[in-house]
Amino acid sequence: SSGINAEWPLRPGEGDYLCAFYAFQANKVSEHPCRTTADADLRYGLFKKCVDEVNKSNSNPTNTYKLGVNAFCDMTEEDKKEKLGLQHPKEEGMLLGSRRQ
């Protein structure tokens, strides 16, 4: 089993997503590995959404910038906050601007 519950037969372009996702996962060191089929499905969905957003933005001729796929493409919002070191002060029992002793 691939660990990804893609719809079969693949829709046009779906195979491209799968190949890109497998390559993306293989190139990650150890951050957020897919541990279960459910996790792989979640991260695959996040990855596809990210790729679609990148492609949509990059195809807009009025944009003066280009986006790209990066390490955040298969992360949940919680994963991103953890990676960036962002935590809600209430969760840490801290006030904004205070330092943990």
Side-chain angles (χ1 to χ4, degrees):
S1 171
S2 68
I4 304 291
N5 290 328
E7 296 175 18
W8 299 99
L10 293 174
R11 296 182 307 272
E14 189 73 16
D16 295 331
Y17 285 112
L18 280 170
C19 287
F21 181 70
Y22 287 138
F24 178 80
Q25 288 295 312
N27 285 311
K28 292 172 75 172
V29 179
S30 63
E31 297 178 27
H32 307 286
C34 297
R35 292 188 174 95
T36 65
T37 300
D39 188 46
D41 289 341
L42 168 70
R43 296 193 184 282
Y44 178 60
L46 293 168
F47 178 80
K48 282 179 58 175
K49 181 179 176 187
C50 178
V51 169
D52 288 344
E53 289 171 0
V54 166
N55 288 337
K56 180 179 179 182
S57 178
N58 290 349
S59 67
N60 183 342
T62 63
N63 286 346
T64 58
Y65 58 88
K66 293 291 182 186
L67 299 180
V69 172
N70 61 35
F72 295 96
C73 277
D74 73 337
M75 290 185 188
T76 64
E77 289 304 312
E78 293 79 24
D79 294 336
K80 292 173 187 176
K81 288 177 184 177
E82 181 182 317
K83 175 77 173 174
L84 295 171
L86 303 175
Q87 297 175 353
H88 194 280
K90 284 185 178 179
E91 294 172 4
E92 292 294 309
M94 297 171 46
L95 297 174
L96 288 174
S98 67
R99 291 181 178 217
R100 188 178 350 190
Q101 300 292 326

